[in-house]
Amino acid sequence: QVQLVESGGGLVQPGGSLRLSCAAASGFTCANCAIAWFRQAPGKEREGISSISKKDGNIHYEDSVKGRFTISRDTTANTVYLQMDNLKPEDTAVYYCAADPTGWGVPLIPYRFGSWGQGTQVTVSS
């Protein structure tokens, strides 16, 4: 059951930018959930890349995206964004957002996140 909806993926050249959005699907609410972004490239395991805590507002980035990606939360719109700048070919993957009911958002281990979106494809290529 899809409970989150991602959007904003697409094809971009190396060095370009994209902004992904993660919104709650109709009927899904989790006021205390932390939200994280994961990605999965072909033939690779799903990896967590960033999260934003609902408990204390802490933001976490994995080293692979630190300094290039920015996560943010619009509480009015009930949406979490992932601004991706200076994209590289190795960023090519399906990107997923996920909700952590504990509210912490870390560690970025997939089984800790009970609600997922369907994913959005990001392709970085010239």
Side-chain angles (χ1 to χ4, degrees):
Q1 182 180 4
V2 173
Q3 295 171 307
L4 298 169
V5 180
E6 304 94 340
S7 60
L11 172 64
V12 64
Q13 292 186 342
S17 298
L18 284 174
R19 189 177 79 158
L20 305 183
S21 299
C22 173
S26 176
F28 176 71
T29 59
C30 187
N32 297 316
C33 280
I35 299 295
W37 286 95
F38 289 76
R39 66 185 181 185
Q40 189 166 18
K44 295 189 176 181
E45 293 187 354
R46 190 168 298 189
E47 65 165 334
I49 56 174
S50 181
S51 66
I52 184 165
S53 172
K54 190 67 173 176
K55 287 282 193 181
D56 56 12
N58 276 353
I59 287 175
H60 174 79
Y61 299 103
E62 292 294 303
D63 287 345
S64 56
V65 304
K66 196 175 295 183
R68 299 187 299 121
F69 290 11
T70 304
I71 191 171
S72 62
R73 190 174 203 143
D74 183 335
T75 55
T76 301
N78 198 25
T79 300
V80 172
Y81 302 99
L82 186 69
Q83 177 67 40
M84 306 187 296
D85 298 316
N86 190 22
L87 282 160
K88 304 175 181 181
E90 51 265 42
D91 294 317
T92 295
V94 177
Y95 283 70
Y96 301 88
C97 62
D100 172 11
T102 72
W104 290 111
V106 288
L108 287 168
I109 302 173
Y111 74 76
R112 296 187 65 257
F113 294 78
S115 304
W116 292 81
Q118 81 290 349
T120 186
Q121 176 70 46
V122 172
T123 302
V124 185
S125 175
S126 54

